[in-house]
Amino acid sequence: GWGIDIEFSPSNPSRVWFSDTDHIYYSNDTGRTWAEQLDGIKGNIRDIEFSTDRCGWMLTDRSVYRTTNAGELSIKNEDDNILPERFELYQNIPNPFNPTTILVTDYLSQAIWS
């Protein structure tokens, strides 16, 4: 199938995840070898993101999956609505045409947790 997303571990680029619409693959040697992960993913995979080396998210058409073990073994379905322990806000990128930044937090929390 066509590639949908590729994601590197934030501090170790030799660890890579790649997805097509309904499969996710993992490599720990910068893509020289790949192993398929997860059976029975609900919906087409749309995005993979890792916020830390161990915590990652996968968005599909029908569900959100989360891992806290770097995804090497499994990614569990996020049905239990575990809230993040903390949030971090980094400096916005300066925009010479618009000096203000608007944060839309309610929309993001509803989109992710409901």
Side-chain angles (χ1 to χ4, degrees), residues 28-61:
N28 62 5
D29 58 8
T30 319
R32 289 182 192 90
T33 59
W34 294 91
E36 185 175 353
Q37 292 189 303
L38 294 179
D39 245 351
I41 297 171
K42 295 178 185 175
N44 293 328
I45 299 170
R46 297 298 180 191
D47 194 20
I48 308 167
E49 291 293 329
F50 274 81
S51 55
T52 68
D53 285 335
R54 298 191 58 79
C55 185
W57 302 87
M58 182 175 65
L59 174 68
T60 72
D61 290 340

Side-chain angles (χ1 to χ4, degrees), residues 41-100:
I41 297 171
K42 295 178 185 175
N44 293 328
I45 299 170
R46 297 298 180 191
D47 194 20
I48 308 167
E49 291 293 329
F50 274 81
S51 55
T52 68
D53 285 335
R54 298 191 58 79
C55 185
W57 302 87
M58 182 175 65
L59 174 68
T60 72
D61 290 340
R62 296 179 50 205
S63 191
V64 175
Y65 296 81
R66 174 177 175 263
T67 181
T68 56
N69 68 357
E72 292 179 24
L73 301 175
S74 67
I75 297 178
K76 70 173 193 165
N77 192 345
E78 185 58 30
D79 286 334
D80 50 6
N81 288 330
I82 297 171
L83 296 175
E85 293 177 13
R86 63 188 170 97
F87 291 94
E88 292 184 34
L89 181 62
Y90 296 99
Q91 177 63 41
N92 62 327
I93 298 172
N95 182 345
F97 303 104
N98 186 359
T100 62

Side-chain angles (χ1 to χ4, degrees), residues 5-25:
D5 195 13
I6 189 165
E7 182 74 20
F8 294 88
S9 175
S11 68
N12 184 356
S14 67
R15 299 177 63 219
V16 187
W17 290 264
F18 169 80
S19 70
D20 59 19
T21 55
D22 54 357
H23 298 90
I24 186 166
Y25 305 91

